[in-house]
Amino acid sequence: MRNVSEIIEQYLKHVLQQSTEGAIEIQRNDLADQFQCVPSQINYVISTRFTLEKGYLVESKRGGGGYIRIQKIELKSHGSILDHIFRTIHTHIDQVTSEGLIYQLQEGHYISTREANLIRAAISRDVLAFKLPLRDEIRAKILKAMLISLLSN
């Protein structure tokens, strides 16, 4: 059985998919009422599952009539995907950011589930048993090489 966070995440992704604008605006309290949870549960889902690394822009306006706006960032062309990879990775990349990038590429069907799992295994902090910042530097080089190899023709 799925937990409330997963249900809320799937609901928001479904609503986003149905949106003709590629963005949605939600009222945190209304959504909390709909799922019979506390508003902080909505904050948790949005802050952990709708991050920039996972391909979402989130903005919020507080106060009466406030809202949370979620927009999916689409990687349209092969060139923009590689640009996005280079902008995200730089010379160092931490575990969380790298997993977000892999998630985004998998969600966009640029890499398969199998490829994503292989990459995650290769760049895991358990495998890269070096001290920081060396670990993040090696992770960046491996991740960049693997993604360029997979996404280049």
Side-chain angles (χ1 to χ4, degrees), residues 15-89:
V15 173
L16 254 171
Q17 211 171 31
Q18 301 302 314
S19 169
T20 56
E21 301 168 3
I24 56 172
E25 289 183 4
I26 58 167
Q27 300 280 327
R28 185 178 69 135
N29 289 334
D30 292 345
L31 199 57
D33 289 342
Q34 180 179 340
F35 288 99
Q36 298 178 359
C37 66
V38 293
S40 61
Q41 182 77 36
I42 305 301
N43 287 348
Y44 169 77
V45 170
I46 291 170
S47 66
T48 59
R49 312 219 178 163
F50 293 88
T51 63
L52 186 58
E53 292 86 8
K54 291 184 179 179
Y56 297 94
L57 285 176
V58 177
E59 63 180 274
S60 62
K61 179 179 176 253
R62 300 221 179 256
Y67 61 87
I68 298 172
R69 185 171 203 275
I70 304 171
Q71 180 180 357
K72 177 80 171 137
I73 301 169
E74 296 295 333
L75 297 174
K76 302 242 186 261
S77 72
H78 224 58
S80 71
I81 295 166
L82 293 175
D83 288 345
H84 178 65
I85 289 168
F86 286 120
R87 279 194 316 273
T88 304
I89 297 175

Side-chain angles (χ1 to χ4, degrees), residues 58-127:
V58 177
E59 63 180 274
S60 62
K61 179 179 176 253
R62 300 221 179 256
Y67 61 87
I68 298 172
R69 185 171 203 275
I70 304 171
Q71 180 180 357
K72 177 80 171 137
I73 301 169
E74 296 295 333
L75 297 174
K76 302 242 186 261
S77 72
H78 224 58
S80 71
I81 295 166
L82 293 175
D83 288 345
H84 178 65
I85 289 168
F86 286 120
R87 279 194 316 273
T88 304
I89 297 175
H90 302 289
T91 59
H92 294 74
I93 190 166
D94 62 50
Q95 184 81 35
V96 172
T97 305
S98 62
E99 287 179 8
L101 177 61
I102 294 165
Y103 173 87
Q104 186 179 8
L105 293 169
Q106 185 180 355
E107 280 279 302
H109 304 288
Y110 295 103
I111 60 175
S112 69
T113 300
R114 182 171 187 258
E115 292 165 340
N117 289 336
L118 285 168
I119 295 168
R120 279 188 199 98
I123 64 170
S124 148
R125 67 176 55 98
D126 297 329
V127 171

